[in-house]
Amino acid sequence: MLESESKGLLLVANKWDLVQAAFKKQGGFHPYKSERDYREKYEHALFERLFFTPGSPVIFVSALDGYEIDRMLNAAVKLNRTLDKKIPTAKLNLVLGHLAERNPPPAIGGKRFRVYYATQTGTRPFRIKLFCNREEKLSEQYRRYLEAGLVEEFDLKGCPIYFDLVGKVKDE
């Protein structure tokens, strides 16, 4: 895993030359049909364990042979540029509304978490301020759902998103 000081995440699997050699010499590993099958299952297992990195680029490299090193460096440059992206407030609010409509948050104590307004307040890492009804009602699962939706919609693969929640003032 490479994490830059700018807080983007690029997943790198080194020593891929050993995997390639195993598939050439001994026909691979049981039960994998091909190197591609092994790579897909490896990537799937990686994201199951690193669920907090939605959409991070995964590059299979070999430092020894230089295999895919250029691709890794290009992905790092792209990630660096993406970290400076500005999300228009109107589009951000539209996407969050669509995500909430598609999959409403769970009701906790008879009330649902609701976002009234959102705005981007920072980059490196992305910070989104959510003005909402009750900040304590945002579950971890729903936070990850919103994060994954924003990563997908705005092509922020490898960029973490932090939500700063501002709840309504409670009347006494």
Side-chain angles (χ1 to χ4, degrees):
M1 254 188 318
L2 290 178
E3 186 172 358
S4 69
E5 55 189 58
S6 59
K7 302 297 181 212
L9 193 63
L10 176 65
L11 302 173
V12 178
N14 191 14
K15 299 194 179 272
W16 205 250
D17 55 304
L18 300 176
V19 173
Q20 290 175 324
F23 274 97
K24 284 179 186 165
K25 251 187 203 176
Q26 56 197 2
F29 308 112
H30 181 72
Y32 307 105
K33 299 175 187 107
S34 65
E35 180 188 341
R36 182 185 187 121
D37 182 42
Y38 180 76
R39 183 185 298 228
E40 288 170 1
K41 294 209 170 53
Y42 184 93
E43 192 170 330
H44 180 73
L46 190 65
F47 281 119
E48 274 187 1
R49 288 178 179 76
L50 300 174
F51 60 87
F52 51 87
T53 61
S56 292
V58 179
I59 312 292
F60 298 90
V61 303
S62 170
L64 186 64
D65 324 12
Y67 174 75
E68 297 284 20
I69 297 296
D70 286 343
R71 188 165 168 240
M72 178 189 69
L73 294 174
N74 289 336
V77 168
K78 182 180 181 206
L79 179 60
N80 190 46
R81 286 187 187 129
T82 302
L83 283 164
D84 290 327
K85 191 180 272 190
K86 302 287 189 251
I87 301 171
T89 300
K91 178 87 169 145
L92 176 65
N93 283 287
L94 191 68
V95 168
L96 286 171
H98 175 71
L99 289 170
E101 188 178 297
R102 188 174 69 190
N103 183 12
I108 299 173
K111 288 207 162 214
R112 290 187 190 279
F113 173 78
R114 183 169 175 217
V115 175
Y116 298 118
Y117 183 76
T119 186
Q120 181 182 358
T121 58
T123 59
R124 296 182 177 267
F126 283 95
R127 288 207 169 275
I128 310 273
K129 187 172 275 193
L130 298 177
F131 295 90
C132 54
N133 58 345
R134 309 279 291 278
E135 66 266 18
E136 72 275 3
K137 300 285 185 200
L138 178 62
S139 68
E140 181 62 23
Q141 293 84 4
Y142 201 72
R143 185 200 64 74
R144 282 200 307 260
Y145 164 72
L146 291 177
E147 181 182 3
L150 293 176
V151 164
E152 183 67 30
E153 181 65 32
F154 295 109
D155 194 26
L156 303 175
K157 293 171 183 66
C159 302
I161 299 174
Y162 294 106
F163 294 115
D164 298 320
L165 304 175
V166 179
K168 276 173 64 174
V169 178
K170 295 175 188 151
D171 296 329
E172 301 268 339

